[in-house]
């Protein structure tokens, strides 16, 4: 039996009709709400490409049942900033050219944003630890870490 799930996404109330409340949140964000910031990588909670914020925490939406979100606000990359008004972390990634194929970057930015919201003056070691479980198959890590440090200095 279908059910309607009510969510707050990027500041807007939305509703999604699902067959199963255990459906991953990622599917609703991408397929129903057409928010393609969160990406499908591994689908197993292991790569970080699908990272969004739920209640201010960085969460892997591919392993988050949509029915578990409740009233906690969701923020996707689209809600972090816009091309006209990018978030300082988005700006830093552009300025440091911290992208190769780009597949991992949305998740990296969301992970970094949640981290910097709690630790505004991190050491390089802390940045590395915060992003250690976000995978980048292109090996862009050095520039990614530089971009996060750049963003921290700008916040
Ligand atoms: S797609 Fe969610 S962690 Fe890899
Ligand atoms: S830039 Fe290609 S996977 Fe990270």
């Amino acid at each position: 039996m279908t059910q309607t799930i009510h969510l707050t996404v990027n500041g807007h109330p939305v509703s999604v009709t699902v067959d199963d409340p255990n459906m991953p949140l990622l599917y609703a964000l991408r397929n129903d709400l057409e928010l393609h910031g969160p990406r499908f990588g591994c689908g197993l909670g292991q790569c970080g490409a699908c990272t969004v914020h739920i209640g201010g925490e960085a969460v892997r939406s591919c392993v988050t049942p949509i029915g578990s979100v409740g009233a906690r606000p969701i923020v996707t990359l689209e809600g972090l900033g816009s091309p006209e008004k990018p978030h300082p972390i988005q700006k830093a990634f552009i300025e440091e050219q911290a992208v190769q194929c780009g597949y991992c970057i949305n998740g990296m930015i969301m992970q970094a944003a949640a981290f910097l919201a709690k630790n505004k003056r991190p050491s390089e070691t802390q940045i590395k630890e915060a992003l250690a479980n976000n995978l980048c198959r292109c090996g862009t890590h050095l520039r990614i870490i530089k971009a996060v440090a750049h963003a921290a200095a700008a916040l």
Side-chain angles (χ1 to χ4, degrees), residues 26 39-51 59-63 103 133:
L26 178 64
R39 292 190 165 142
F40 188 98
C42 63
L44 298 169
Q46 293 176 356
C47 75
C50 63
T51 302
V59 169
R60 299 192 168 191
S61 60
C62 71
V63 289
Y103 205 86
N133 294 321

Side-chain angles (χ1 to χ4, degrees), residues 6-10 25 53-57 59 64-75:
H6 302 284
L7 302 169
T8 303
V9 181
N10 298 334
L25 172 64
H53 296 172
I54 301 180
E57 301 290 333
V59 169
T64 302
I66 190 169
S68 72
V69 177
R72 293 174 296 160
I74 299 166
V75 177

